[in-house]
């Protein structure tokens, strides 16, 4: 399972990278705005800065919604750095763009996916990644994890190579549940990764080991 961090915050990306388990980064226009990154030139530079910190894939989202504009913007993003994956929304022109990019060998992440049908379409169009937003489904009392399971079943039925990138992860249990369901990738906040570390018995056990060591070596 690949671990991506879902942020445009360089300090958090560095921290996750230093842990040694980071496989990539996802961003979106809201995450960029949250870090105060505005204006096309600054945004493009920020993507390159992120690529220079991590070893893996970095999703950069288009803001165009019309086919020709999506293509123009996506090609510009893809040329920025070899690690860039073009993030395209699940709309009709987006699906056409996914097919276009796939034919040209440009890697894509189909975003804003909320149904198995949308995920099937993204795979048919040749998306590299599909991003079902499980947390946002949970937010409206719909089982987000069930969507991950449905997409896994459909993709396995036909051997689709599109990777399921479980997105809108909100906490550590989402990570565990997505791992059980066979999501290929998860993207979440740093806290969702850090949470995997924690167990009180580890802390208690380590304190006891260190205490006993000190007793025996003082
Ligand atoms: C996916 O790539 C999105 O950036 C992200 O996971 C959305 O998460 P949110 O619902 O917490 O905003």
């Amino acid at each position: 399972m690949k671990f991506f961090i879902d942020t445009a915050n360089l300090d958090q990306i560095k921290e996750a990278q230093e842990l040694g388990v980071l496989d990539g980064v996802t961003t979106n226009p809201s995450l960029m705005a949250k870090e105060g990154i505005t204006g096309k030139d600054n945004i493009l530079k920020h993507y390159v800065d992120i690529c220079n910190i991590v070893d893996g894939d970095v999703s950069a989202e288009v803001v165009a919604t019309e086919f020709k504009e999506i293509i123009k913007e996506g090609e510009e993003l893809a040329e920025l750095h070899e690690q860039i994956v073009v993030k395209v929304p699940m709309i009709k022109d987006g699906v056409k763009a996914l097919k276009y990019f796939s034919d040209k060998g440009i890697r894509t992440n189909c975003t804003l996916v909320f149904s198995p049908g949308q995920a099937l379409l993204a795979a048919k169009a040749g998306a590299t990644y599909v991003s079902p937003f499980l947390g946002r489904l949970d937010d409206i009392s719909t089982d987000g994890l069930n969507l991950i399971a449905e997409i896994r079943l459909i993709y396995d039925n036909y051997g689709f190579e599109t990777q399921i990138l479980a997105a809108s992860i909100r906490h550590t249990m989402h990570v565990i549940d997505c791992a059980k369901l066979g999501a290929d990738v998860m993207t979440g906040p740093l806290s969702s990764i850090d949470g995997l570390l924690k167990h009180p018995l580890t802390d208690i056990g380590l304190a006891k080991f260190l205490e006993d060591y000190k007793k025996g070596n003082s």
Side-chain angles (χ1 to χ4, degrees), residues 119-140:
L120 179 57
L121 210 45
K124 288 285 293 174
T128 313
Y129 296 103
V130 65
S131 286
F133 277 32
L134 71 98
R136 291 194 194 185
L137 283 170
D138 287 357
D139 288 344
I140 58 160

Side-chain angles (χ1 to χ4, degrees), residues 6 26-28 31 87 111 131 133 136 167-170 187:
D6 194 31
T26 51
T27 62
N28 63 42
L31 293 170
K87 207 170 176 188
T111 190
S131 286
F133 277 32
R136 291 194 194 185
S168 189
I169 293 261
R170 298 285 166 74
T187 190

